[in-house]
């Protein structure tokens, strides 16, 4: 894909290629791509067998980027993620052996089966694009993206992610069950074996870095920024939340909507972009009250109510265009 010609990013090519392995899931694919262009990381949460790992593996394949996978277990150590210094008897010196985090796309499978100290070993890399070992900082490759899968925390043998770790994920996406038609097509098309080897690469690391730089240039009018801040303020006042979104979450939404606009072939942000991304960007950054949790309330539903009750000023639509 030649971005120099018109600088158009055609999602249809991505959908078509991934359809060789992944049936449906166009919304999830678009959100993954948006996070990548935003230099963000994604947490995919759902029950086992819902296609989380399949989607991540197929997505990384079409990016033509280096890829590593970590299968999390309770005995996984931070050094298994970052790497360690190895003593060589020949040279009588220590040399650093890089861990799987030194890659473009890192799949952290079942992240909540790892102990909290191992989960936290990802923090520096996710936030700063580097890791520190024995006082020495080593830069990670660009682009760098963590795609983590998680089973619901009520399942046996899992450890809830610390709030600091959750906040490092740009988005949390719940897969959900496929439609009847999608599940039937899945059995007909990829029922026996997943043909990962048939996937063609569409984006090079250089192309992705270029798109990331283009996303930073997308125009956001002051009234759009004010709208984002107003929504964030409402989450902090809402009686169903004990904790509303932080300024980091406000900034995360700001970055994400710029990338969303870019992949929709616009160089400016619209209020509809915010409506599309509030739930995946903010749903894991708010904390429900005990009463709301016991009554079965979902953070996505409350965020939708906040959006519905916060009408967009007419000037936002006029000035954004």
């Amino acid at each position: 894909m030649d971005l120099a010609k018109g600088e158009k990013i055609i999602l249809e090519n991505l959908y078509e290629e991934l359809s060789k392995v992944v049936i449906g899931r166009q919304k999830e694919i678009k959100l993954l791509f948006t996070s990548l262009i935003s230099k963000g990381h994604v947490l995919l949460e759902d029950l086992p067998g819902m296609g989380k790992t399949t989607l991540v593996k197929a997505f990384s394949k079409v990016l033509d980027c280096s890829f590593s996978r970590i299968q999390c277990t309770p005995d996984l150590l931070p050094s298994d993620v970052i790497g360690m210094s190895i003593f060589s008897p020949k040279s009588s010196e220590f040399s650093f052996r890089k861990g799987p985090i030194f890659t473009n796309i890192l799949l952290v499978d079942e992240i909540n089966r790892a102990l909290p100290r191992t989960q936290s070993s990802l923090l520096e890399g996710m936030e700063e694009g580097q890791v520190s070992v024995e006082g020495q900082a080593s830069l990670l490759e660009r682009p760098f993206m963590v795609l983590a899968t998680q089973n619901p925390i009520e399942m046996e043998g899992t450890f809830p992610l610390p709030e600091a770790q959750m906040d490092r994920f740009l988005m949390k996406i719940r897969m959900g069950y496929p439609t009847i038609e999608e599940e039937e097509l899945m059995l007909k098309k990829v029922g026996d074996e997943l043909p990962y080897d048939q996937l063609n690469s569409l984006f090079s690391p250089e192309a992705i870095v270029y798109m990331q730089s283009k996303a930073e240039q997308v125009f956001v009018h002051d009234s759009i920024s004010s709208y984002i801040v107003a929504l964030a303020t409402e989450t902090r006042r809402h009686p169903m939340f004990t904790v509303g979104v932080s300024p980091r979450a406000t900034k995360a939404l700001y970055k994400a909507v710029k990338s969303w606009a870019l992949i929709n072939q616009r160089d400016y942000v619209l209020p509809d972009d915010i409506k599309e991304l509030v739930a995946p960007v903010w749903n894991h950054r708010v904390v429900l009250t005990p009463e709301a949790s016991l009554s079965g309330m979902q953070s996505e539903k409350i965020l939708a109510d906040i959006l519905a009750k916060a009408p967009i000023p007419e000037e936002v639509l006029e000035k954004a265009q």
Side-chain angles (χ1 to χ4, degrees), residues 228-240:
I228 293 174
V229 173
L231 292 172
T233 302
E234 286 303 311
T235 69
R236 299 161 194 164
R237 296 172 176 169
H238 201 282
M240 292 292 185

Side-chain angles (χ1 to χ4, degrees), residues 14 84 90 92 111 126 143 185 201 206 217 223 267 296 316:
L14 188 60
M84 64 181 74
K90 276 189 175 182
S92 298
I111 188 173
M126 294 172 69
L185 182 59
S201 299
E206 294 76 20
Q217 299 171 29
S223 52
D267 60 0
V316 172

